[in-house]
Amino acid sequence: MAIIECEDVEITMINIGDILILEQIYSSQNEKFKCMVVEMEAGCVYIDFPINLATGKNLVDGTQVNVTFSNKEQAVYVFESEVLGKVKGQIPMMQLLLPDVETFVKIQRRHYVRLDVTIDTAIHPEHSEFTPFRALTEDISAGGASIRLIKGANIKSDSQLYLWMALTLKSGQINYLRLKSRVIRVTEKDQCNMLLHIQFIEPTKNDVQTLMKFIFEKQVDLKKKGLYV
């Protein structure tokens, strides 16, 4: 792949010496690659060869990745990028696309990010308390969700249920989740609807990773459209 010529660099959130973690976007495997920023120009950074943390494998030119890093204040950010090509120098390097800072998404460390997004779900009782039905989410995080229900639905606070949903990632991979949940509270939304606030009970590590990846990809899409701050 041809190397893209970049202009002189301005001050950015990323600095030489910063450690980056890269994850392939269009891959069904949750592989992570670690690297360090060694040079910078406007619109791109140069990194040492990214190495897979588990297998030692490397990335190839043209790979689209999510890049995670932390700044001096230890705030964590993620952005979408692409491996532009290998570069010869005093040390072997790779050129990585650096998008506008406005596209960076800040990751909340203490609490899961909650995103307003509509997802078709199926609600099943833990036993036989009610007939299973379909509903739409009002928002969702890796720890729980709010579900829109028609007023009069016979579901009470502190009851347990199963939330079924299918999440499609940018890679095209469809993930089917069955999340055991607890109803935290029920609130009124408007004259016709109420909100069922639920917490996921001991979700698996894979379920949490899938939810976080899905939410992040939605955040990036919304930021590109100017609909997410």
Side-chain angles (χ1 to χ4, degrees):
M1 178 176 291
I3 301 301
I4 297 177
E5 294 294 334
C6 301
E7 300 173 355
D8 292 337
V9 68
E10 298 178 356
I11 299 299
T12 67
M13 296 173 64
I14 297 179
N15 298 284
I16 293 174
D18 284 353
I19 300 299
L20 309 180
I21 301 297
L22 315 182
E23 295 181 79
Q24 297 181 73
I25 295 177
Y26 298 105
S27 173
S28 59
Q29 300 178 346
N30 293 320
E31 293 183 301
K32 294 186 178 181
F33 297 79
K34 185 178 181 180
C35 60
M36 183 176 70
V37 177
V38 292
E39 291 186 23
M40 296 186 64
E41 293 181 355
C44 61
V45 296
Y46 297 91
I47 57 176
D48 58 4
F49 273 25
I51 302 299
N52 184 285
L53 298 178
T55 66
K57 291 195 305 183
N58 214 314
L59 288 172
V60 299
D61 297 359
T63 303
Q64 292 184 303
V65 293
N66 289 325
V67 181
T68 304
F69 73 98
S70 59
N71 62 10
K72 293 180 180 179
E73 290 73 34
Q74 298 302 307
V76 179
Y77 292 85
V78 184
F79 62 88
E80 287 188 352
S81 183
E82 180 182 346
V83 177
L84 299 177
K86 297 180 178 66
V87 181
K88 291 183 179 180
Q90 293 183 347
I91 61 172
M93 297 184 297
M94 276 191 167
Q95 189 181 33
L96 196 66
L97 177 68
L98 183 64
D100 292 337
V101 172
E102 288 74 18
T103 65
F104 290 14
V105 175
K106 187 175 182 179
I107 302 299
Q108 300 178 28
R109 283 180 146 183
R110 294 185 178 180
H111 304 283
Y112 291 125
V113 174
R114 185 171 291 272
L115 185 69
D116 294 339
V117 61
T118 300
I119 302 172
D120 189 14
T121 64
I123 311 294
H124 289 250
E126 183 180 25
H127 302 294
S128 302
E129 301 89 340
F130 56 85
T131 302
F133 62 91
R134 293 175 65 178
L136 299 176
T137 61
E138 181 83 358
D139 57 55
I140 191 169
S141 75
S146 297
I147 312 293
R148 293 200 296 267
L149 297 180
I150 297 175
K151 277 189 177 180
N154 187 26
I155 299 181
K156 299 179 181 179
S157 296
D158 212 33
S159 59
Q160 294 190 8
L161 49 81
Y162 287 95
L163 183 68
W164 295 66
M165 66 177 70
L167 301 181
T168 303
L169 301 178
K170 288 186 70 173
S171 64
Q173 178 183 0
I174 301 175
N175 296 270
Y176 298 93
L177 306 186
R178 178 180 181 268
L179 299 161
K180 186 175 182 179
S181 308
R182 178 185 295 111
V183 178
I184 303 301
R185 64 186 183 279
V186 181
T187 60
E188 183 175 319
K189 176 175 172 60
D190 51 43
Q191 292 183 345
C192 301
N193 299 282
M194 60 185 188
L195 288 178
L196 190 69
H197 304 274
I198 66 172
Q199 178 185 31
F200 303 144
I201 302 174
E202 298 181 355
T204 67
K205 182 179 179 180
N206 284 339
D207 287 344
V208 172
Q209 289 179 340
T210 297
L211 285 161
M212 292 179 70
K213 190 169 187 178
F214 173 81
I215 291 168
F216 166 70
E217 290 180 352
K218 288 295 183 184
Q219 285 178 296
V220 171
D221 288 342
L222 291 172
K223 263 211 161 186
K224 289 179 178 177
K225 297 174 183 176
L227 301 176
Y228 182 84
V229 179

